Amino acid sequence: MGRQAEGRGRMIDRSIAISNVYVMLAYACRAIRSEGRDRIEAERFDHLHDLLAEILVRGVGTQVKRGLHRDYLDRRDELATVRGRINTSRTVATRSTTRGRLVCEFDEYEADTPHNRALKSVIVLLIRHGDVDAQRKAALRRLLPYLDAVTLVAPTSIRWDALTYHRSNATYRLLLGVCELVVRGLLPTEDSGSTQLASWVSDEQMSRLYERFLREYYVFHHPELSPAAPGVPWDYDDTTAHGVEQLPAMRTDVTLRSGQRSLIIDAKYYAQTMQVSPWGKSTVHSANIYQVLAYAKNADIRRDGSVSGLLLYARTDAPVQPDLDVVIQGNRIGARTLDLNQPWEIIRAQLEDVVTWLEDSPH
């Protein structure tokens, strides 16, 4: 159906949903002020890979103009003149002196860093296996000569958690967030055994992105609410407690605070936002509501109802969606959805409406 596909009674503009992945990435990677954001948001994309390729084309192109990230890297080589430190044991073992040479260890200020290796590897991956139009593939190829000095590594060997960021390479945060999303979408084909990219990333990866997006949105727009993802300690009686180390940890996705009031937001990215009984009744997922209630009750150590809990689901196209707002034993508990298939202005209004839970608290 072109840019739109019909889904259970409503029209889904796929290009809007895909473009909003960029907005989520920009927040999650703390790159809201990144150059070119407005231009990318204004475009329409039929495939996720086209969006990710466009971000890399523009972002890496800008980075090339600024200068690629460089770092001091450890090198060892057999040289005719001394450079850095002489490795005596290697020099003896390789009999380098018989050739008038010494094995030296030294630092080289190079662009062959883990950050640039990840960029190059994912650019090549998108060119070879991505669902990217010919024009964008050509633009990606034009970036490769600038990365000639960078080693091409297997994408699956990249250690994303080992990549660090500081002032001189902060612009890489969004680019490598995109790269990680691409690599996490790798799937083996069943017939040829070759590698292709998923047309969409897994629910697990989207769930992680959704959580980070929500948290960083409030960090950016509402620092006065001290957005964070703290753990909630169990409020048990020390005098009678036994085996407390067996209690599972309670980790929140987002907690907002205003004065004495707190709102615990639990982000949920599910294919089905409601559970359906054998008799056809739709209800909020039992485990989810028990979880957020446990968070609120244990966090409310003053027992004054000042802690609320909200399940915030990514909206699906199911006919019944979570829409719950109740007070349970003094604590306000709710479930609602965030419609990521809307233009950004509407999504932001929904996120701002969540903040009113702190203002509208009965306590």
Side-chain angles (χ1 to χ4, degrees):
M1 293 187 182
R3 296 189 185 278
Q4 290 186 324
E6 188 171 359
R8 295 188 186 178
R10 69 179 184 135
M11 298 299 289
I12 299 174
D13 188 336
R14 186 170 175 77
S15 67
I16 291 178
I18 291 175
S19 294
N20 284 333
V21 172
Y22 170 70
V23 179
M24 292 168 68
L25 275 166
Y27 276 99
C29 298
R30 301 178 184 177
I32 298 305
R33 296 186 180 90
S34 60
E35 296 179 13
R37 175 189 168 201
D38 292 339
R39 295 195 301 274
I40 290 176
E41 286 183 21
E43 291 197 23
R44 298 175 69 89
F45 299 92
D46 291 324
H47 301 285
L48 178 61
H49 297 167
D50 272 327
L51 168 65
L52 301 181
E54 186 67 19
I55 296 172
L56 291 179
V57 166
R58 298 189 184 194
V60 177
T62 299
Q63 194 63 52
V64 165
K65 293 176 183 177
R66 292 174 177 164
L68 291 174
H69 170 247
R70 294 173 180 268
D71 207 347
Y72 286 101
L73 305 175
D74 294 331
R75 293 286 182 257
R76 184 170 69 187
D77 201 0
E78 193 179 71
L79 304 174
T81 58
V82 176
R83 183 178 181 185
R85 183 176 68 86
I86 299 173
N87 187 321
T88 306
S89 60
R90 289 298 300 168
T91 298
V92 173
T94 58
R95 298 185 179 183
S96 299
T97 54
T98 62
R99 297 185 293 276
R101 292 177 174 271
L102 298 168
V103 176
C104 299
E105 295 177 346
F106 52 92
D107 292 333
E108 192 77 65
Y109 193 60
E110 299 179 4
D112 193 20
T113 65
H115 300 71
N116 289 325
R117 289 180 181 183
L119 279 182
K120 181 173 183 177
S121 297
V122 173
I123 287 173
V124 170
L125 188 63
L126 277 172
I127 291 171
R128 292 177 179 174
H129 305 293
D131 191 0
V132 180
D133 68 33
Q135 184 177 358
R136 287 193 176 92
K137 282 190 177 182
L140 287 171
R141 288 191 183 95
R142 289 194 292 272
L143 295 174
L144 291 178
Y146 298 103
L147 299 167
D148 273 345
V150 177
T151 303
L152 182 64
V153 299
T156 52
S157 71
I158 300 169
R159 295 178 54 203
W160 302 105
D161 57 347
L163 298 176
T164 58
Y165 303 94
H166 41 75
R167 181 172 297 180
S168 65
N169 70 354
T171 51
Y172 274 71
R173 192 184 294 273
L174 174 61
L175 296 177
L176 293 178
V178 167
C179 289
E180 182 177 3
L181 199 63
V182 170
V183 172
R184 300 294 189 189
L186 277 174
L187 289 175
T189 57
E190 295 180 358
D191 49 356
S192 65
S194 62
T195 300
Q196 66 178 15
L197 286 173
S199 60
W200 199 261
V201 294
S202 68
D203 279 354
E204 179 183 358
Q205 291 306 313
M206 284 302 296
S207 178
R208 290 178 56 195
L209 175 60
Y210 181 55
E211 291 172 14
R212 289 179 59 187
F213 155 64
L214 290 177
R215 184 162 58 251
E216 294 301 329
Y217 173 86
Y218 291 113
V219 167
F220 186 83
H221 293 287
H222 290 284
E224 76 281 2
L225 300 180
S226 304
V232 177
W234 288 92
D235 187 20
Y236 55 81
D237 185 349
D238 286 326
T239 61
T240 60
H242 172 72
V244 294
E245 68 278 358
Q246 296 179 7
L247 286 170
M250 292 189 287
R251 299 184 179 90
T252 66
D253 294 331
V254 191
T255 296
L256 306 178
R257 294 184 174 87
S258 177
Q260 297 297 315
R261 297 192 297 273
S262 297
L263 172 62
I264 297 174
I265 303 171
D266 205 42
K268 299 297 182 186
Y269 190 94
Y270 289 172
Q272 288 84 33
T273 54
M274 302 282 279
Q275 63 185 12
V276 181
S277 73
W279 302 275
K281 181 182 178 181
S282 296
T283 60
V284 177
H285 288 279
S286 302
N288 296 168
I289 201 71
Y290 300 156
Q291 177 186 30
V292 76
L293 180 59
Y295 286 0
K297 298 303 292 184
N298 282 275
D300 187 12
I301 57 175
R302 292 188 300 272
R303 304 288 195 276
D304 60 359
S306 59
V307 180
S308 301
L310 177 65
L311 295 167
L312 190 56
Y313 292 87
R315 189 179 182 88
T316 67
D317 54 2
V320 180
Q321 294 292 318
D323 184 18
L324 175 70
D325 188 350
V326 295
V327 176
I328 300 177
Q329 295 179 345
N331 296 92
R332 187 181 182 189
I333 303 296
R336 60 168 60 179
T337 62
L338 182 66
D339 193 347
L340 298 172
N341 192 55
Q342 296 296 324
W344 172 243
E345 296 76 18
I346 296 177
I347 295 175
R348 181 169 182 179
Q350 294 174 49
L351 290 168
E352 290 299 313
D353 189 51
V354 168
V355 177
T356 64
W357 270 60
L358 284 168
E359 303 165 357
D360 295 344
S361 172
H363 297 275

